[in-house]
Every structure is written in C-alpha cells, then in structure tokens.
Amino acid sequence: MKKLLTLVLLLVTASSLQAKDRPDYKRQAETVTDHIQKTFFDSDSGVYFKTTKRDKLDWVWLQSVMFANLAAAARIEPEKYAQPMDAYFKALDGYWDDKVQIPGYEPGLTKGNGNDKYYDDNAWLAIAFVEAYETNRDARYLKRADETQRFVLSGWDDEIGGGIWWHERHKDGTKNTCANGPAAVGCLVLAKHEPEKAAALIQKARDIVAWTNSALQDSDGLFDDRKVVKTGEIKRGKLTYNSALMLRANLGLYRATGEQAYLDEAIRIGKAADWFLDSQTGVYRDALRYCHFMIEADLELYEETGDTHYLKRAQHNVDALYARWEAEKPDDMMSSACLARVLWLMSEVEVK
C-alpha cells in the first residue's frame, strides 16, 4: 500500500509540474483576441480593419480567420465571446452576394451581382461556420455553411480531369490547392451534421482529394500551389497552408470511412512537413497567415495518432510566435487573428 501511495504521489507531482511548465495558452489567446478587438474592430460596419491605420476594411478571407478565432473563443469562453461571434456573423452579410444564381461571399463589401468571388475565400468561411454551429447548435450557422459550401462546390468542373477553380471568372486561369483542400475539409465537417447529404459530401471529398493528389502533390507528399488549366503547367512553390488542409482532408476521410490509407497519407504529409521548419529556429518559415493552418493540422494529427512529435512541433511554433507578438505586435489584423486562433486551440489540448 505504501508503494502504491508513493507511486500515486509521484504521478500527481509529475502531472502538476507538466501543467505548471506549460504556458497559459488560454490567457494568451484572450490577450491577443482582446487586442484585436481594441485595435482593429470597426463598430460602424461590425467587421475588422485591415491594418492599424484603420483606413480600409479587411478582405473577406482575412475576416474568415478572425471569425474562426471567435468560433474557437466562443467554444472555450462562451459567456464572453458568443455574442461578439454572433454579431460578427451578421455583419459579414455585408460581403454576402445573394443577387446571383449561386450566392457566395465577395472579397469586399458588396451591393450584389459582384461576380468576383474566390472559391477558397468561401471555403474557409464554410468550415468556420460549421465550427460556430458546433458551439451552440444555432441552425443559422449550419444553414449558411451549407449555402457557402454550395458555392464552393460549384467551382468544380471536368477541365483537366476535375478540380475547383480559384476564382469564379477563372482569374489567373488556375485550379489551386488552396481552394481544393479546404473544399474537401468543408464537405467532411458538413457531413457530420447533415446525415441526408453525408454520403454525397464524403464522396465529393474523395473526388477532390484524389484530383488534388494527382494534379498538385509532389513526390515528397507536400503540395504545390496551382495548375494552369490551359497549359497544364504546375506553379511550383510549397506553402504550409496547402499541405495542412490536404492533411486535414485525409484525416477527415479516415474518420468518415475508416480506410487506413487516408490515415497513412495524413501521417506521410505530417512527417514531410518538417521541411517547412527553419533549420535554426524550428519555426515554420511561412508567414502566420499560412503557417497557423499547419499548426492546426499538427494538433489534429496529434489528437488522432498520439504522436507527440506533432504536439511538440505545434507547441514550439506557438510559443515562438507568441514571443514575437509580445515583442512587436504586427500592424495587420490577420496575423494577430491567426496567432489567437492557434492559442485557443493549444489551450484545449490534452497531453497524452
């Protein structure tokens, strides 16, 4: 009995030390989120300015990161952040174009009939709206997520074998990983809450992942940026957010289907993502607007596999990025929103 009590005390002490040594991510997340609210929020429009100059409202894809940040905050601190999230959701209607055949979000404030929509902008919002729905089961969020995802999927056609365009008028003439990855994730998060559509959404996610793998995945498992439809040229250049969303899409397909190949592929991408780390600092080389998506993917992969490599990679990045933020706060809204988002996610992590 004495040995058992000693063991229990040792375990409790070790656990307490581990918890004590971990940064207070919840406090940090709240600090950054409140800084954004104070520095960038425009009370007249209900959305956020792009920079500290406060002379231009931010584009919708940058607003989408702030909405995702508030969705995470509202899940963890609903009494403080649920109301601001809901008010922001309503204010984003300023970007919503319902005067077209398939409504969607314009990049800037619109009076309708804008026809300048980006499929990736809308994909980020669809994912964030599902997360908002999961905080309180308010059907408005799920309805708008479904409507937004309908626009995203309308960007798919059979040119070059499939894939979703970057822009509705085919600006740049490309189909991009940044549109297809989040489109697949959007299908899978919606499928969890729409049983009558689940089979079709999961199949669409399969199709999107298969096309993106064939068109834009490099031999190391990571993803190039985009493919020019007319010429077939692949625009090289690997960014964290492209591989991150494809990692999450594979994880989502594994969870939806139980097929081991999808988990194996997610792990392959996760291991390959060490390539993105700076050799001196161990921090992702990309700007926050891209690398925070990889941190989120790291946490999802850790949750699924229990492999602490991904947790340590995420934690090291978050700690370094918060230290940078404390030393010099960025002038743009999105960088702070990206950081706050991953801080909230880190605060929820249970170390296995």
Side-chain angles (χ1 to χ4, degrees):
M1 178 62 73
K2 186 175 181 181
K3 288 183 178 180
L4 178 61
L5 287 172
T6 301
L7 178 61
V8 169
L9 284 170
L10 286 171
L11 289 172
V12 169
T13 301
S15 177
S16 298
L17 286 172
Q18 187 179 48
K20 184 179 179 181
D21 290 342
R22 280 168 56 86
D24 187 348
Y25 291 117
K26 182 178 173 183
R27 180 192 62 78
Q28 292 176 357
E30 192 166 6
T31 297
V32 181
T33 302
D34 292 352
H35 166 77
I36 298 166
Q37 202 70 16
K38 179 181 178 181
T39 308
F40 299 100
F41 182 67
D42 175 38
S43 58
D44 291 335
S45 66
V47 299
Y48 294 82
F49 287 111
K50 184 178 179 65
T51 70
T52 52
K53 293 180 180 178
R54 297 175 64 89
D55 59 351
K56 181 178 176 60
L57 297 175
D58 222 332
W59 302 110
V60 79
W61 93 269
L62 304 142
Q63 302 280 358
S64 75
V65 176
M66 185 57 196
F67 188 86
N69 175 46
L70 286 179
R75 179 172 63 248
I76 298 162
E77 291 284 356
E79 66 283 354
K80 181 172 182 178
Y81 294 109
Q83 190 279 327
M85 179 184 74
D86 188 59
Y88 190 25
F89 174 70
K90 295 171 185 173
L92 286 171
D93 277 347
Y95 296 82
W96 180 250
D97 181 2
D98 61 0
K99 295 180 179 177
V100 289
Q101 185 176 1
I102 304 177
Y105 286 92
E106 288 282 312
L109 297 177
T110 182
K111 295 180 180 178
N113 288 311
N115 299 307
D116 189 30
K117 300 171 191 67
Y118 292 81
Y119 294 107
D120 59 329
D121 292 3
N122 282 268
W124 305 122
L125 284 163
I127 296 168
F129 293 152
V130 173
E131 187 172 341
Y133 170 72
E134 290 172 343
T135 68
N136 59 16
R137 293 302 192 267
D138 186 326
R140 293 173 304 145
Y141 297 128
L142 189 62
K143 179 177 182 292
R144 181 52 59 86
D146 185 73
E147 293 169 338
T148 307
Q149 186 70 0
R150 179 172 176 254
F151 171 76
V152 173
L153 295 180
S154 74
W156 173 281
D157 66 26
D158 292 331
E159 284 198 64
I160 61 170
I164 292 172
W165 291 87
W166 182 48
H167 184 269
E168 67 174 330
R169 289 188 292 173
H170 303 176
K171 184 188 294 185
D172 197 42
T174 58
K175 293 183 176 181
N176 299 31
T177 307
C178 71
N180 285 274
V185 173
C187 286
L188 294 163
V189 295
L190 269 170
K192 293 187 293 184
H193 303 291
E194 298 193 332
E196 72 286 354
K197 299 180 181 178
L201 286 166
I202 292 167
Q203 183 57 52
K204 194 62 187 178
R206 284 184 187 270
D207 295 342
I208 294 169
V209 167
W211 180 84
T212 313
N213 287 347
S214 66
L216 288 161
Q217 189 174 30
D218 201 353
S219 58
D220 61 1
L222 302 176
F223 288 81
D224 286 307
D225 195 60
R226 61 201 188 276
K227 190 167 187 175
V228 180
V229 171
K230 182 178 285 188
T231 65
E233 177 191 3
I234 296 174
K235 296 291 187 179
R236 305 292 176 182
K238 296 169 183 175
L239 291 168
T240 36
Y241 78 147
N242 286 330
S243 294
L245 270 294
M246 291 303 295
L247 189 162
R248 290 179 62 196
N250 277 282
L251 271 182
L253 280 168
Y254 169 68
R255 291 164 179 160
T257 68
E259 295 177 24
Q260 183 67 31
Y262 287 119
L263 179 58
D264 292 343
E265 184 62 13
I267 293 170
R268 184 169 83 100
I269 298 168
K271 289 179 178 177
D274 277 346
W275 179 84
F276 291 112
L277 299 173
D278 183 277
S279 60
Q280 300 298 314
T281 64
V283 178
Y284 289 125
R285 295 188 298 269
D286 288 348
L288 253 169
R289 66 179 54 201
Y290 301 121
C291 75
H292 85 282
F293 289 107
M294 196 72 230
I295 294 169
E296 184 165 355
D298 283 340
L299 294 177
E300 279 202 34
L301 195 53
Y302 165 68
E303 180 184 359
E304 189 61 50
T305 66
D307 188 335
T308 56
H309 173 70
Y310 305 112
L311 175 63
K312 290 176 181 177
R313 192 164 74 184
Q315 185 171 6
H316 178 73
N317 271 270
V318 169
D319 291 348
L321 292 168
Y322 183 73
R324 289 181 191 174
W325 184 89
E326 274 198 312
E328 184 176 359
K329 294 176 178 55
D331 291 336
D332 65 303
M333 183 277 292
M334 189 190 188
S335 292
S336 290
C338 295
L339 176 61
R341 164 82 178 169
V342 291
L343 286 165
W344 286 115
L345 297 180
M346 281 298 305
S347 76
E348 295 180 292
V349 172
E350 293 183 12
V351 179
K352 297 179 182 179

